[in-house]
Amino acid sequence: MDDLSGKTAVITGGASGMGRSFAHRFARAGMNVVLGDIEEPALDATVAELTDAGHQAVGLPIDVSHETALQGLRDTAERHFGTTHVLCLNAGVGGGNGSMETLTTQDWAWTLNVNLWGVIHGLTAFLPALKAQDEGHVVFTASVAGLTSYPNMGPYTTTKHAVVAIAETLFSELRDAESGVGVTCLCPG
């Protein structure tokens, strides 16, 4: 996709950090922007920044660990702007850190639910339409932790390795199908 003007970007974790930067960059390129984030005050502030600057933007408070939240984000994007063209699966947490013997099931569950299931729920909600229109791009935010391992970061590293694997698998599937949908996996750090 070379021309982004008038197209729509959906960004999870869009209220701060990299997600907020994506939103501003896509908006400057003329895209409609749909943001999902669990931090409602930050979400409202980012949407206000964008709309005050004359951009088309909406936000929806969501918890990506719930499949219905991503379906709601998809429905919000469709209702406001129609087709989604860029999907940034960016929401993530750095929790569950500590040595393996100190980690609880809750430590693992929280990190897996946000960092891994949030990505899976996003794909489930948005990928069928992207493939059907044969145009678009999926951007995964992983981490350098998805390419290596660090002590005391078991749940985080595990989820980021999984995100890299999902991105590589989707890339290969779409390439082999000669799809017009692209895939990028970011590994900052």
Side-chain angles (χ1 to χ4, degrees):
M1 276 187 344
D2 294 323
D3 182 17
L4 301 178
S5 183
K7 296 187 177 172
T8 300
V10 175
I11 306 161
T12 65
S16 61
M18 288 178 56
R20 182 176 170 270
S21 295
F22 293 152
H24 280 276
R25 178 63 188 96
F26 289 140
R28 285 193 308 272
M31 294 189 85
N32 307 309
V33 180
V34 179
L35 306 176
D37 204 289
I38 199 166
E39 299 293 336
E40 198 165 350
L43 177 64
D44 292 343
T46 300
V47 170
E49 290 170 7
L50 293 164
T51 57
D52 289 350
H55 303 298
Q56 297 294 314
V58 295
L60 184 68
I62 62 166
D63 178 346
V64 297
S65 69
H66 299 289
E67 185 174 15
T68 55
L70 274 296
Q71 293 165 348
L73 189 63
R74 178 202 58 216
D75 295 346
T76 297
E78 288 175 359
R79 187 171 52 258
H80 285 273
F81 303 118
T83 303
T84 294
H85 298 90
V86 176
L87 172 63
C88 294
L89 298 171
N90 176 70
V93 296
N97 296 331
S99 64
M100 288 293 200
E101 75 266 10
T102 65
L103 296 171
T104 67
T105 302
Q106 290 79 16
D107 293 329
W108 281 95
W110 180 60
T111 309
L112 288 166
N113 284 338
V114 174
N115 292 359
L116 178 56
W117 280 105
V119 166
I120 294 167
H121 296 324
L123 287 178
T124 301
F126 287 90
L127 188 58
L130 287 168
K131 286 180 68 176
Q133 73 193 20
D134 199 32
E135 178 188 40
H137 207 91
V138 181
V139 179
F140 297 89
T141 301
S143 165
V144 70
L147 305 174
T148 189
S149 296
Y150 298 102
N152 300 312
M153 294 179 62
Y156 181 79
T157 299
T158 298
T159 61
K160 295 307 180 175
H161 274 268
V163 170
V164 170
I166 290 169
E168 288 178 342
T169 301
L170 181 61
F171 173 85
S172 296
E173 290 175 358
L174 294 171
R175 179 202 59 218
D176 293 350
E178 298 180 4
S179 174
V181 179
V183 175
T184 298
C185 186
L186 305 174
C187 295

